[in-house]
Amino acid sequence: MKDFFLSSKAITLLQLFKYIEYADESPTLKDIMSQFSLSKITAIRYLKEIKQDLTELDAGLKLTTTDSKYKVIYPTGSSFSATIFKLRYTYIVRTNKFQVMDALFRNNFNSIQALSEATNLSPSTVQNIIKPLKHYFQHFNVSISFRGNQNIIGKPLHIRTLMVYTYNAIYRGKILPDFVTNRSQYTLSVKDHLSFSQRHQFDILKTVTYFDLIQKKNAITLTPKLRQLLTAVNDTNPITIELPGFSEQVLQDESLLFSFLLRLLVANYDTSTEKITIAKAILSLDMAFTNDVQQLLQNFFVDFKLKQDESSFLESFYYLVIVLIYLEFISVDVTGFLEFSISMSAFKEENFNTDPVFKSLQKFLTEEAKSYPKLLNSTTMGTMLNALFFFLLDHNVKIKPLKINVQYTKNFYAANMIIQSLQDVFGSAITFTDRIDQADFIVSDSYENAEALQGDFFLFNNIFNPHDWSTLLSTLLQQVYSKTFYKTVHHDCVTKYH
């Protein structure tokens, strides 16, 4: 859904640009044709378009060819990461879909004809765009109409969510929507030391909220139960919106909603300690809803035999209750905007048998839905919740450390140097054993009859050679990744998930 406003051609152009940037070697025209299954004429045309688009962004941005190989040259102060977001934004705002949607949010039109005149598009073009827009809006329980004073029809909470997620998906990098209220002098305090991307997401949320309040006069009214829950969330790193012309109750509800959406949009806005504090505040409400969430999580820990210390349980409760509050009280599908998709095929490509994990999670949720039909109904039992429980399982299962045996014959202290250095880098992901026959990975400068051993063997020639160290670290990283990184897949208790 986050790519709703991008044409298939624009998506290909962006992928082509990424391919040129990330290819191991600068690709040739033939490489590009093969990678994207393009004819020679189409590939050349696409490359010319990218070259022109880059130049329009910045005269110093150059798509060049040297020895028939394509490469992008960036001027001082520019980079691939900045350029890709600008390019994506450029392709979106060019589309008729975006122009029509943006106009509908900013103004009210009494007819298709009036909207077509405002966007310089023919009535038939606007009519054809309205159809997919209506389908897009339906995901948020919002509709489009030209029969009343408002074109965007729905609960203010759903309309706000639609605007927040839509504009957040479009305006990435440095760019913000140019709503009139962007020039507002009303400040809004936020915690210190946010990253650039965190600050940008905060600014998007603030821009949309102020526009909807000041310009469109669409205020949110929370139910008493939701107000109580969000107050517990907002007690930590609180958000307070202060605007003239609104009642104290409206500003309180707007502050609470802003604070909640901020947690959903901005990763790690709260520290682990603060998440635990929020979890405790929500649990202290002693509501039927929060008690059910707590018992559901308790059942999850018991069924999957997870170690239940207080901090891990409370942090897991924070993630679960935040998602269930959203699904219970806001209840619009935003999975298309977020990375909540778990693809079985992605695991199978790496020869990981995840079937027991996924099947056991699905079985658990299906069984629990009988006890908690309000929490786990047909609406909530979707991709978002399945992915969350996969995360909670992964988050609470400790990895099985890679067992390493180190042998070194050229001096008596080198083995200890190797052990200490690897421990410094990989920490708890590895452990060491003096039983070579029980090791997953063997590091030696000599021949250890490796064919007779179960562990993978690495010949480490010289402890004073930086290249040997680099190769060892790279090899060991691959070992850790393939054997222990997918914690829920490789942990011993996987067999108990059936």
Side-chain angles (χ1 to χ4, degrees):
M1 207 187 306
K2 63 180 179 294
D3 291 333
F4 174 78
F5 296 96
L6 285 171
S7 66
S8 57
K9 177 184 174 182
I11 292 172
T12 301
L13 292 176
L14 290 170
Q15 290 174 340
L16 204 165
F17 178 60
K18 290 180 182 179
Y19 175 64
I20 293 171
E21 178 69 21
Y22 288 128
D24 292 335
E25 295 183 6
S26 297
T28 62
L29 179 61
K30 187 176 180 181
D31 293 331
I32 292 168
M33 291 166 58
S34 174
Q35 179 71 19
F36 294 95
S37 301
L38 299 174
S39 67
K40 184 175 182 179
I41 293 174
T42 302
I44 290 173
R45 186 175 78 251
Y46 282 8
L47 287 164
K48 285 183 177 179
E49 288 187 32
I50 291 175
K51 184 175 183 178
Q52 181 178 340
D53 292 335
L54 292 175
T55 302
E56 289 178 3
L57 290 177
D58 188 322
L61 276 170
K62 305 289 185 183
L63 176 61
T64 64
T65 52
T66 304
D67 297 328
S68 300
K69 294 182 178 181
Y70 287 86
K71 183 179 180 180
V72 178
I73 305 297
Y74 299 93
T76 303
S78 185
S79 65
F80 167 77
S81 58
T83 304
I84 190 68
F85 288 119
K86 291 178 182 177
L87 202 57
R88 182 177 182 275
Y89 169 76
T90 298
Y91 292 153
I92 288 175
V93 297
R94 284 178 184 172
T95 64
N96 294 338
K97 278 184 186 178
F98 172 81
Q99 292 167 21
V100 169
M101 182 211 68
D102 198 48
L104 285 171
F105 277 131
R106 292 170 186 269
N107 302 286
N108 293 314
F109 301 94
N110 58 16
S111 66
I112 293 285
Q113 180 65 38
L115 178 56
S116 71
E117 291 173 359
T119 55
N120 293 317
L121 299 170
S122 69
S124 60
T125 299
V126 171
Q127 187 68 58
N128 289 333
I129 292 168
I130 291 294
K131 292 178 182 177
L133 270 181
K134 283 183 176 180
H135 180 70
Y136 175 84
F137 282 17
Q138 281 175 1
H139 288 282
F140 297 84
N141 303 317
V142 174
S143 60
I144 299 173
S145 174
F146 293 91
R147 295 179 179 176
N149 296 327
Q150 297 287 335
N151 297 136
I152 312 297
I153 308 300
K155 294 180 179 179
L157 182 57
H158 291 161
I159 295 172
R160 179 73 57 80
T161 307
L162 165 62
M163 291 185 68
V164 166
Y165 277 95
T166 298
Y167 282 99
N168 188 64
I170 293 170
Y171 289 86
R172 310 299 297 272
K174 295 181 179 180
I175 310 167
L176 289 170
D178 59 342
F179 294 142
V180 173
T181 49
N182 273 1
R183 298 191 291 273
S184 171
Q185 298 302 307
Y186 302 117
T187 59
L188 185 57
S189 297
V190 67
K191 68 184 293 188
D192 295 330
H193 310 301
L194 294 182
S195 70
F196 181 88
S197 62
Q198 287 176 316
R199 172 66 68 171
H200 185 265
Q201 287 176 297
F202 170 82
D203 287 339
I204 289 283
L205 182 54
K206 176 186 173 184
T207 297
V208 169
T209 299
Y210 279 16
F211 170 76
D212 208 22
L213 274 173
I214 299 171
Q215 192 84 359
K216 303 293 286 186
K217 309 299 182 185
N218 292 327
I220 302 299
T221 300
L222 302 180
T223 63
K225 186 183 290 186
L226 182 55
R227 186 178 296 131
Q228 191 177 7
L229 287 164
L230 299 194
T231 298
V233 174
N234 198 41
D235 282 344
T236 300
N237 294 322
I239 294 291
T240 304
I241 295 176
E242 297 178 353
L243 292 173
F246 294 94
S247 70
E248 183 178 343
Q249 185 63 69
V250 165
L251 293 177
Q252 180 193 11
D253 284 356
E254 288 289 348
S255 300
L256 295 178
L257 179 65
F258 192 105
S259 173
F260 181 68
L261 292 178
L262 188 62
R263 264 73 184 197
L264 288 170
L265 288 169
V266 179
N268 288 329
Y269 182 74
D270 302 299
T271 65
S272 292
T273 301
E274 290 165 345
K275 289 171 186 173
I276 290 171
T277 300
I278 292 171
K280 289 179 178 178
I282 295 174
L283 281 169
S284 69
L285 297 175
D286 196 22
M287 301 165 55
F289 172 78
T290 57
N291 292 340
D292 284 349
V293 176
Q294 181 184 19
Q295 189 58 55
L296 173 63
L297 185 62
Q298 180 71 48
N299 295 346
F300 176 70
F301 269 71
V302 171
D303 277 22
F304 287 88
K305 299 176 174 61
L306 303 173
K307 183 180 178 182
Q308 187 177 324
D309 59 75
E310 184 183 27
S311 60
S312 64
F313 185 84
L314 287 172
E315 193 167 359
S316 297
F317 177 81
Y318 167 87
Y319 290 114
L320 180 58
V321 78
I322 289 293
V323 169
L324 287 175
I325 288 172
Y326 177 85
L327 293 174
E328 176 80 9
F329 297 97
I330 299 180
S331 189
V332 294
D333 183 8
V334 295
T335 53
F337 291 93
L338 306 170
E339 196 171 47
F340 281 130
S341 175
I342 301 176
S343 171
M344 293 286 286
S345 61
F347 286 98
K348 289 178 179 177
E349 286 173 5
E350 299 294 334
N351 295 317
F352 291 133
N353 180 22
T354 57
D355 286 352
V357 179
F358 286 102
K359 287 179 180 177
S360 296
L361 285 170
Q362 189 58 55
K363 180 181 178 182
F364 168 79
L365 291 172
T366 302
E367 288 296 318
E368 292 297 312
K370 298 173 184 177
S371 301
Y372 305 103
K374 291 184 178 180
L375 287 183
L376 305 176
N377 55 45
S378 57
T379 302
T380 62
M381 288 279 281
T383 308
M384 190 173 182
L385 203 57
N386 288 334
L388 175 68
F389 274 97
F390 181 84
F391 158 73
L392 291 176
L393 182 60
D394 188 73
H395 183 64
N396 288 289
V397 173
K398 305 303 179 185
I399 67 171
K400 183 181 178 182
L402 191 75
K403 288 191 289 186
I404 302 172
N405 177 267
V406 178
Q407 302 293 326
Y408 207 82
T409 64
K410 295 172 184 174
N411 61 52
F412 70 93
Y413 57 78
N416 189 66
M417 176 194 288
I418 295 169
I419 289 171
Q420 186 60 51
S421 298
L422 295 181
Q423 194 76 73
D424 288 344
V425 174
F426 292 96
S428 61
I430 62 174
T431 189
F432 294 90
T433 177
D434 56 7
R435 287 282 302 272
I436 195 170
D437 59 316
Q438 294 181 0
D440 301 310
F441 187 65
I442 300 158
V443 180
S444 178
D445 67 336
S446 185
Y447 176 67
E448 301 292 351
N449 193 20
E451 291 79 4
L453 297 171
Q454 294 298 312
D456 292 310
F457 182 80
F458 180 85
L459 183 62
F460 192 18
N461 291 316
N462 187 344
I463 62 169
F464 300 107
N465 186 329
H467 180 265
D468 285 0
W469 276 104
S470 176
T471 305
L472 172 61
L473 293 175
S474 297
T475 305
L476 185 51
L477 177 61
Q478 186 60 41
Q479 289 280 323
V480 170
Y481 173 78
S482 62
K483 292 184 177 179
T484 67
F485 185 75
Y486 287 105
K487 297 182 279 294
T488 55
V489 177
H490 293 285
H491 194 271
D492 288 342
C493 69
V494 165
T495 56
K496 302 174 185 176
Y497 292 171
H498 291 285

